Amino acid sequence: MRLSRAFLPTLKETPAEAQIASHRLMLRAGMIRQEAAGLYAWLPLGWRVLQKVTQIVREEQDAAGAQEILMPTIQPAELWRESGRYDDYGKEMLRIRDRHEREMLYGPTNEEMVTDLFRAYAKSYRDLPRNLYHIQWKFRDEVRPRFGVMRGREFLMKDAYSFDLDKEGAVRSYRQMFVAYLRTFARMGLKAIPMVADTGPIGGNLSHEFIILAETGESQVFLHRDLLDYDVMGQAVDYQGDLSPIVDFWTSRYAATDEKHDEAAWAAVPAEAQVTARGIEIGHIFYFGTKYSAPMGLQVTGPDGALVTPEMGSYGIGVSRLVGAIIEASHDEAGIVWPDAVAPYAASILNLKPGDAACDAVSERVYEALGRDALLDDRADRPGAKFADADLMGLPWQAIIGPRGAAAGKVELKRRATGERLELPVEEAIARLRMPTLPPVAGC
Amino acid sequence: MRLSRAFLPTLKETPAEAQIASHRLMLRAGMIRQEAAGLYAWLPLGWRVLQKVTQIVREEQDAAGAQEILMPTIQPAELWRESGRYDDYGKEMLRIRDRHEREMLYGPTNEEMVTDLFRAYAKSYRDLPRNLYHIQWKFRDEVRPRFGVMRGREFLMKDAYSFDLDKEGAVRSYRQMFVAYLRTFARMGLKAIPMVADTGPIGGNLSHEFIILAETGESQVFLHRDLLDYDVMGQAVDYQGDLSPIVDFWTSRYAATDEKHDEAAWAAVPAEAQVTARGIEIGHIFYFGTKYSAPMGLQVTGPDGALVTPEMGSYGIGVSRLVGAIIEASHDEAGIVWPDAVAPYAASILNLKPGDAACDAVSERVYEALGRDALLDDRADRPGAKFADADLMGLPWQAIIGPRGAAAGKVELKRRATGERLELPVEEAIARLRMPTLPPVAGC
């Protein structure tokens, strides 16, 4: 994309309403715009990141055997009366009456609807296990929305729902999502730690939050150092096999948010292994048995002909929130520092002197070679403004093309994360930019 | 995907509420489920088609120079008061009050919001032209939603909005979308004809509907036979070049829906070139000048320093409606006949005798070779049920594996669209299934 034709409006001033780094940087880098309290439009730069994050979530759900569906944003109120949650949910639920005065709502979560959907089709034990997920916009009418996409009112969630014949199967499904979540976040360059959690309004008896470490995190967390050293992507996973070695590694070592912190258990962790940090919740998984299937009458015929009420779990990832969380975990004074896997483009190409024949020729050559995965700054601005914008947008590489270097057939490459610079002949620079980069480990 | 583990619930009975072919077939093939009047959940088979259709729309918008953003589904009412449309829109608009009693609405279209967004950033003529599009769920509270996804209340739309400095630029933007639409629909195997249209509630002075031909279409259309013979994908397009030869070809020949039909002009079309058919609207483009930019105060500085009010257009495609429309244009008594480009999977692999060693070995080999782009029917059903389901789901190819053929190392391939069958050795069958297929021309 050529910046001269792009809709990538960066801001020089820091907007007054933004209290945290990700909100400030997303506004300044032209990723989002607030349309009303807690409602954001995603501009092209932000939208590309949201798509990349979404695609990683999708691929890892598919790999774990979950199947994608899409439920509507608007739900009939009757479903929530069946489960008994309609009155529980309070003012956070956006309630709507349609033109026929039927009670509807903008879905804050989908346990009821997916249970209704599944009971329409599942008849026998052969229809289980199944794990259905969707990636959809949800609405929670927060009293005071703030922190940008970290706590908006309309937000994108992935939620998966598992259906199993018995508790053993449900625990297997839970573990599949547990492992899929570790891999999902690791691919985005995040260090995510599962921590035992309260089940809250979803209910149930087993639950983990996934917390990423970031200096600006919302809560204090306590964990065993081993968990930081675990190489999630270093091993192949067979989702149909025994996942307990992986799950046991994580659950046998201390990790807790301040809400669930247990001083006695913490004291038993060797002092040199104690890590305290700030954390941000980006995922939450629940096993809740028959909390929805029983009141809503979901039953299937078991192998022996008797009726069985399936055991369920649900598994959420805050997809739009993740974009903010990644920035919280990876930024500096000058701007965002995108992990490669979720960067909106791979490189900024900075033509420092548009109109200079050598600068134009080299810039066009690099741009042509990288194609759709590069941003070409061909605007008639001063070099200082281009450097500042490139650092702010935070693409992993900058290819800097000035008159002297270009005349000598050279490009200067700058790695955004480290500041490392190298000057290379044009074709070598292109080859370097095309090399796959190992995913960096952020947040620790 | 193995059918034994998939969530692909086909129905044997035709649901009573479905009046048209696409609605009936989408329900029977397990593509969608109605959750409330006009609200549908997309099940895995339907969701895959919706994703493929969305991706084609996206690629052709990008190719034409439009840039993707995403605006929220919920909008503040104030924006619609600025344009003067808040009271015009009637009961089709789903109006909402949030917990602070602020007036909101579920967006039925986005002219106001995108104008507001653009005016926040665009300051000078250098910020034009721009074309911003998004693909988002919308809501129109139809009195009597029906025909499945063809006229639902919650539906997926692509809408693009162009901003130009003057009328000449705006007409250029309009033509870019005109050509992009021709290509978008051609890639999906559809014959889409642009027809002059009324502008309705969007307003403006120039407008075309894109109508596909289908026997079950909602309106009568009249067109010159030349338009059916035009090979849209047969020529490269330079969106920055002169598009008038393409646009003029289409606009100089007679094409009209019954609403705009002109008997005198029709009489001038040679009798042998007169084609009458049924049509379905799948896209609509508008040039409306300053209808929104003027009342909403969108102005930029022109090259001479004077303030200019940009000229706008908007360009819609009914993305979820397209899924139904493609089925209306391409089905038979036995079920759906997917054009290759939008088929949910490339092939059904029918293991006619699971448990038979040869059938299992050949089926697994073909499934492994095709990977994620195949459906393996490994269920313990009778062959007749498998044939019926495969025809109903309508994947372009069926690889039929029975005990006799499998023992001889043979696979029978059936092409769904033509019924053509050929028996091939396993590896040759795999090679045939992997060959790219020319897009079929449907609907004429």
Side-chain angles (χ1 to χ4, degrees), chain A residues 5-7 33 35 42 47 67-68 70 73-74 98-100 106 116 130 141 143 153-154, chain B residues 5-7 33 35 42 47 67-70 73-74 98-100 106 116 130 141 143 153-154:
Chain A
R5 297 185 194 163
F7 188 66
R33 176 168 190 264
E35 295 295 337
W42 294 74
W47 174 242
Q67 298 177 55
E68 189 167 4
L70 188 70
T73 61
I74 302 295
D98 73 7
R99 67 190 297 164
H100 301 299
Y106 198 123
D116 171 60
R130 291 294 183 276
D141 202 357
V143 188
R153 293 198 288 173
E154 188 171 329
Chain B
R5 297 184 195 163
F7 187 67
R33 174 165 191 265
E35 294 295 336
W42 293 74
W47 174 241
Q67 297 178 54
E68 189 167 4
I69 63 173
L70 189 69
T73 62
I74 303 295
D98 74 6
R99 65 189 298 164
H100 301 299
Y106 198 122
D116 171 59
R130 292 293 184 276
D141 202 357
V143 187
R153 293 197 289 172
E154 189 171 328

Side-chain angles (χ1 to χ4, degrees), chain A residues 27-173:
Chain A
L27 290 170
R28 284 196 52 217
M31 292 179 62
I32 52 169
R33 176 168 190 264
Q34 180 172 305
E35 295 295 337
L39 301 180
Y40 291 89
W42 294 74
L43 309 186
L45 197 74
W47 174 242
R48 283 179 73 97
V49 178
L50 189 61
Q51 277 188 297
K52 291 202 174 185
V53 167
T54 301
Q55 186 58 23
I56 291 173
V57 169
R58 171 175 289 139
E59 287 172 10
E60 294 298 329
Q61 290 291 295
D62 290 345
Q67 298 177 55
E68 189 167 4
I69 63 174
L70 188 70
M71 292 176 272
T73 61
I74 302 295
Q75 305 184 10
E78 303 98 74
L79 282 179
W80 289 69
R81 295 222 166 81
E82 277 194 64
S83 72
R85 284 206 295 181
Y86 188 65
D87 296 321
D88 297 354
Y89 232 85
K91 288 198 160 185
E92 275 199 12
M93 187 188 275
L94 189 66
R95 293 156 209 262
I96 303 169
R97 280 176 190 270
D98 73 7
R99 67 190 297 164
H100 301 299
E101 294 295 323
R102 281 177 297 221
E103 289 177 290
M104 318 285 285
L105 55 96
Y106 198 123
T109 179
N110 283 62
E111 281 80 7
E112 285 80 358
M113 186 173 273
V114 79
T115 303
D116 171 60
L117 193 161
F118 196 72
R119 73 182 168 186
Y121 299 106
K123 301 299 170 212
S124 98
Y125 67 95
R126 284 188 216 89
D127 299 320
L128 301 170
R130 291 294 183 276
N131 184 332
L132 305 178
Y133 77 99
H134 79 162
I135 301 173
Q136 179 59 293
W137 292 90
K138 298 188 180 312
F139 204 97
R140 287 185 197 161
D141 202 357
E142 301 264 358
V143 188
R144 274 180 303 278
R146 54 192 167 150
F147 305 147
V149 301
M150 298 286 286
R151 199 189 276 185
R153 293 198 288 173
E154 188 171 329
F155 56 96
L156 188 61
M157 283 281 291
K158 184 285 299 181
D159 32 297
Y161 302 92
S162 64
F163 300 88
D164 282 275
L165 211 55
D166 52 27
K167 180 169 179 182
E168 191 190 336
V171 169
R172 191 180 313 117
S173 295

